[in-house]
Amino acid sequence: MEEAEITNNSSQSHNMGSAGTHPAETMGSSLEAKPTHDHGRGRGNKRSRGTRDRDDRNKRSDMGRGEWSRKSGDRRERNEESAKRRRLNPEESIRKPIYAVNFSKEEIESEERKPKRKVAVMIGYSGSGYKGMQLNDKEKTIEGDLFKAFVAAGAVSKANANDPKKSSLVRCARTDKGVHAAGNVISMKLIIEDPEIIKKINENLSPQIRVWGIERTNGSFSAYQLCDSRIYEYLIPTHCFLPPHPDSYLGRKLLELADEVGDGEGYRKRQEEVATFWTETEERYIKPILDDLDPEIRPLIMQALYHNDSNSERRASDAGIGKEEDKHEFDSMEQKKPKEEFLEKANSDLQLTHSVEDSNSIQRQSSHTDHQVPLPTEAAHLSETKQVSPTDAAIRTLRAAYITAKKAYRISPERISRVRSALSRYNGTHNYHNYTVNKAWRDPSAKRVIKTFTVSDTLVVIGNTEWLSLKVHGQSFMMHQIRKMVSMAALVVRCGCHEGRIQDSYESDKLIIPKAPGLGLLLERPVFDSYNERPKNQEDRGEVAFEKYKTEMGEFKQREIYERIYREEERDNLFHAMFSSIDNLRGRKLLYLSSKGTEATKDGGEVGLGDDTLLKEVVDAASSDDEAEAEDG
């Protein structure tokens, strides 16, 4: 999630209800009642169909999304299984969550009783090194560290220190592994009589997590239920908007299909501001390397770089991919071998990137500050630990040169205008069934409200990479939605595709939309305008807002979030890896990005079933670096 993405069924009903959809419909088409022969009519029917439907929906709404999707047995069966496990393994019954703080009975009884108050806690955090926001019994999470800090600071009593449920902890937005948040909110009951309580809490937290403030709220306040909307930011290198290399599979097909439907001139017009990029790159970065190669292996190297189509069928066969596997959803593929191959190839290629960059860039990398993450030490000894053939070495050097050239790209105002125009197509209420997983087009919960999707006027150059900041303000988001929205907009721009293709994605046709890397996603802040506008009965009830913490949040974002994103991309080149893998894999499923539109995905031609499945899998490997995104928030 990332987009970044948090709700259960009840909250989804709340959000969709405000968007003009009946709350009961948000359970989705998968929960529709089975048809009956009498359709609920006739005197002999003891219970009408409507009554059965309501009962069925109410019973299912009692279950969480994860629980329902796993289709587990009834509660009695689960309890019996749990009791059986405890009898067989007595240690399991006494095992405590890693965030629980246990005190002796004497310590609890001797502690002075203090009143708890319902509060909203404004927080920020960097998700690096954490298994997400939500409490996890066995993994390190943001909430786990926060809860232990509350206990250590005296904000949670010793009697309640072993279970956050006793303090009624509720989060506004759940972010997954690796996703950051400059602003998030949790509601709970805390002991806040100490005027230094915020300082004491922060002293017990790592620099990656900060508590900005604590505000008294109404007793019924829920950070989850009363959030109006959320604002996410996505940082993306500007080279992601460069067109595919003209010798890549996708680059060749885009031009071929544009000419086929008579849109060649329009396609070239939409790419005019980047028309000379690859020609200049070949002359400046690639030709000097090719000139030094043995003429006999030069054609083989170019063939391997852009015409490796013959390997697709072999790799599909090696991975055991066939017609049965092709029926699976893109985002739920289980095969591992293509992903492992992609990561292995990406790692070996990327080690050489720094050897072809200029000396200033290398010097910048060697002058890391204390809080920066250095490059892996193994990289310096790659040539010593692994024998590489001359052909493979040349291919890797060329790929590294292409990475260097792409980093040196600086986006033009015309290209930014195209990005801005593409993102504006998301504004309003649309059906985003293609932007998440396991959502049918007829599922009412697939409809989401996007208020704005904007591009920052300020460009930032870090290392030698230029970055663009995108911000989306929406009522709520589904799993992977933001990352797929960013990816779709980037693909539309870089492929010279008409912007109307984004509108096409809202229709019933099922499209494969890769996820952009979770690395660039962060939750900027949730919005509680409706709650803040309510009349306050007590003077000590403050607003749940982040404006007063703007300065501290800005410094934190720069130090703990932005810098981490920049360093990790400088080290791993995840954005290049994603788009490069898309450009060089055969398959018709992404050809909706051509001038021919969705019809191109339905044509037969030279592409086989296994090739399309492999494309799904390897693209997923390129874009799911940490499966990070806020889910449905």
Side-chain angles (χ1 to χ4, degrees), residues 6-12 27 30-31 60-73 78 134 174 224 437-439 479 631-632:
I6 312 190
T7 62
N8 57 24
N9 294 326
S10 61
S11 67
Q12 180 60 49
M27 290 300 299
S30 63
L31 304 184
R60 287 164 177 168
S61 66
D62 290 338
M63 303 175 68
R65 176 184 307 176
E67 185 180 2
W68 172 250
S69 65
R70 289 191 296 270
K71 297 182 180 180
S72 54
R78 293 194 303 274
Q134 189 172 357
R174 179 178 73 85
Y224 179 52
V437 294
N438 300 325
K439 285 285 183 185
M479 178 178 286
E631 177 189 350
D632 204 5

Side-chain angles (χ1 to χ4, degrees), residues 425-436 439 446-450 478 481 485 505-506:
R425 297 275 180 157
Y426 293 124
N427 294 342
T429 303
H430 301 292
N431 189 318
Y432 288 97
H433 73 104
N434 275 318
Y435 293 79
T436 186
K439 285 285 183 185
K447 292 184 179 179
R448 298 290 159 136
V449 179
I450 302 300
M478 297 177 289
Q481 181 183 342
M485 292 168 74
S505 70
Y506 305 144

Side-chain angles (χ1 to χ4, degrees), residues 111 114 149-157 190-192 197 200-201 204:
E111 183 183 33
K114 297 179 180 178
F150 291 151
V151 174
V156 171
S157 67
L190 292 179
I191 301 169
I192 56 172
I197 191 64
K200 291 181 179 179
I201 293 172
N204 287 279

